[in-house]
Amino acid sequence: MYRVFEALDELVAIVEEARGIPPTRNCIVPRGEVLELLDDVREALPGELDDAQDVLDHRDKIVTDARDSAEAAVTGANAQAEQTVTGAREEADRILADAKAHADRMVAEARAHADHLVATAEQEAERTVAEGQAEFEAVTGRARTESERMIAAGQASYDRSVADGKAEQERLVSQTEVVRAAHAESARLIDTAQAEADRLRDECDQYVDGKLADFEETLHNALRVVGRGRAPARPAPSVVPDYAGEFRR
């Protein structure tokens, strides 16, 4: 390619140095040298120029063939894309169906487990309430028996004190000073017996109240255990029934 530019430069130099023909702008050039330089230029030109000329000559055909090939490629690509999209949509539908079936199965298992927990909690609650009721009745019965025994003992002590006071009063009734002393002693004995009976009654009430408080705490603990067992299955009730309050009535 360098020889082409060199030969062209030499041709330009020959033309510039050629002798002119007055009065025209023509000149006399050495034909042999010019033809030789033109042959050098022709030989130095690469063969790709001929190929390029052939391409230019067949440009319309090449463009048409390229357009047809591009349209065929686009059509094939569209068909492949539609096939790919269809396959992806079918795969997505299958995955979605599998996920839905798995979710339904998990929900069913969770619901069955929750029902089992609720049933177990209800059975435990019923057992705890039954045991609490039995314990309450036993404690109440023992407290009632103890109260009656203590009241009977207090009443007997009171009756003995009253009887002793009356006997003492009758024995000393003949003397005024003795009578006054007997009255005072009798009143003291009566007051003492009454105070003893009141004390015994208060102790009995405190004993019964303490047993009831212990049973109420046990029952509340059982209800809290039941409430925790039922919490995952359904919301806890807004108000917990006061079973101990019912029994105190």
Side-chain angles (χ1 to χ4, degrees), residues 161-169 179-193:
S161 297
V162 171
D164 292 342
K166 287 182 178 180
E168 186 67 17
Q169 182 181 13
V179 169
R180 283 198 300 270
H183 279 296
E185 182 64 18
S186 177
R188 186 185 67 77
L189 291 175
I190 291 172
D191 292 339
T192 301

Side-chain angles (χ1 to χ4, degrees), residues 98-161:
D98 292 342
K100 186 177 183 302
H102 183 66
D104 293 339
R105 185 171 62 255
M106 292 182 65
V107 169
E109 292 176 357
R111 184 177 292 111
H113 184 63
D115 293 339
H116 174 70
L117 290 178
V118 170
T120 303
E122 289 178 350
Q123 293 175 359
E124 183 67 19
E126 292 175 357
R127 185 184 63 80
T128 303
V129 170
E131 292 177 355
Q133 179 67 27
E135 180 68 18
F136 172 77
E137 292 177 355
V139 171
T140 304
R142 290 195 299 269
R144 186 180 296 108
T145 301
E146 183 67 17
S147 176
E148 291 175 354
R149 186 188 65 78
M150 295 178 69
I151 291 173
Q155 186 65 39
S157 178
Y158 172 75
D159 292 340
R160 285 195 303 272
S161 297

Side-chain angles (χ1 to χ4, degrees), residues 207-237:
Y207 176 80
V208 173
D209 187 68
K211 290 296 183 180
L212 290 176
D214 293 339
F215 173 71
E216 181 180 5
E217 180 65 22
T218 300
L219 188 57
H220 275 300
N221 290 334
L223 290 176
R224 281 196 295 272
V225 171
V226 173
R228 286 195 298 270
R230 299 180 66 180
R234 58 172 181 260

Side-chain angles (χ1 to χ4, degrees), residues 11-25:
L11 286 173
V12 171
I14 290 173
V15 172
E16 289 178 348
E17 294 175 358
R19 185 174 57 190
I21 301 176
T24 66
R25 295 178 57 85

